[in-house]
Amino acid sequence: MSEPARDKIIKVRVSAEEHETLKWRCPKARLAEWMREQCLNPDGDWVRQTKKAEPADPALLRQLAGIGNNLNQIARKVNTGDWAGLDRVAVVAALAAVERELSELRAMHR
């Protein structure tokens, strides 16, 4: 059986240290041949890994949903125009505080 035509090129950049490690692990004279065997092995235990979202705490999700509902109610009330100027300033200040706290939470969980 003849070798399949290999007309596609995959460039893989590695550091000098990584290159030396690959050559050290490779039992063959040709690194590309060994890498094909390792990566395309039909008998290997290959499972396509997808990155799944970390499970979230249900209590946290309930709290976030409640915050979202409150924000929607505030936005609806503000948009009616029934609020005095000072009420609007208080709401904007409260929303700014919420935004700061959410930014801190986001930074902590990166």
Side-chain angles (χ1 to χ4, degrees), residues 1-98:
M1 186 158 97
S2 66
E3 287 284 318
R6 293 198 168 95
D7 57 348
K8 302 294 181 192
I9 298 172
I10 299 173
K11 290 186 177 186
V12 179
R13 293 187 185 273
V14 294
S15 68
E17 183 179 318
E18 291 168 331
H19 187 254
E20 288 302 315
T21 301
L22 286 170
K23 288 190 332 186
W24 180 80
R25 289 183 181 175
C26 178
K28 298 188 169 257
R30 294 176 20 183
L31 183 59
E33 182 181 340
W34 174 74
M35 290 177 73
R36 272 194 302 274
E37 288 174 2
Q38 294 300 306
C39 295
L40 299 174
N41 180 2
D43 299 325
D45 187 19
W46 296 104
V47 176
R48 185 174 183 148
Q49 296 179 358
T50 57
K51 187 174 181 179
K52 294 181 181 177
E54 296 280 330
D57 180 11
L60 174 63
L61 293 177
R62 279 192 296 281
Q63 290 292 321
L64 289 173
I67 291 170
N69 287 334
N70 290 341
L71 289 174
N72 284 336
Q73 291 173 11
I74 291 168
R76 194 170 24 254
K77 189 72 169 178
V78 168
N79 288 330
T80 63
D82 293 341
W83 289 28
L86 288 177
D87 292 334
R88 288 184 183 185
V89 170
V91 168
V92 169
L95 291 174
V98 168

